[in-house]
Structures are given as structure tokens and as C-alpha cells.
Amino acid sequence: MTPDDYKRVVEQLQGMIKETQLMIDRFEATGMDTQMPGDYNALLSILDDAVKQQRANTMAMLR
């Protein structure tokens, strides 16, 4: 991949991270985190995975 490809992936992941974090915030604000723990945990897993992928792509871009 080219540096531009890595940058594009990192930016797309940032958008996904932001959207997922907003959804997590809404879950917590409305009490859905306790009403729907499975879905809440899935959101946390998605966020964790996106952050890890973003870090990996950032490190690859910097090499």
C-alpha cells in the first residue's frame, strides 16, 4: 500500500471510531447499556477493533 492508501484507511477508521463512540454515548445516556448488554458489548468490541486497526495502519504508514 502507498502512504496515501494508509492515510485514507486511517481517516476512514477515524470516522468509524467517531460514529461508534457517539452510539456508545447514546447507549449510556439512555440506559441501553444495561438494557441491551450484548449490543453494548458488541459496540465496545467494534470500537476496540477499529482503534487497533487504526494504530496498525498508522504505524505501517510511518515506516
Side-chain angles (χ1 to χ4, degrees):
M1 284 179 41
T2 68
D4 287 339
D5 292 334
Y6 284 115
K7 183 179 179 187
R8 190 172 22 264
V9 170
V10 168
E11 289 171 353
Q12 289 174 347
L13 285 165
Q14 183 60 39
M16 183 177 167
I17 290 166
K18 183 178 178 180
E19 289 177 22
T20 305
Q21 186 60 58
L22 288 171
M23 188 172 293
I24 288 170
D25 292 344
R26 286 193 300 265
F27 257 65
E28 293 172 347
T30 59
M32 290 174 61
D33 54 329
T34 56
Q35 295 175 16
M36 301 173 67
D39 291 342
Y40 180 69
N41 286 329
L43 286 171
L44 293 175
S45 293
I46 290 167
L47 180 62
D48 182 56
D49 187 47
V51 169
K52 287 177 182 175
Q53 287 183 45
Q54 186 184 46
R55 183 178 190 284
N57 278 281
T58 299
M59 295 304 291
M61 180 176 58
L62 296 174
R63 289 188 193 136

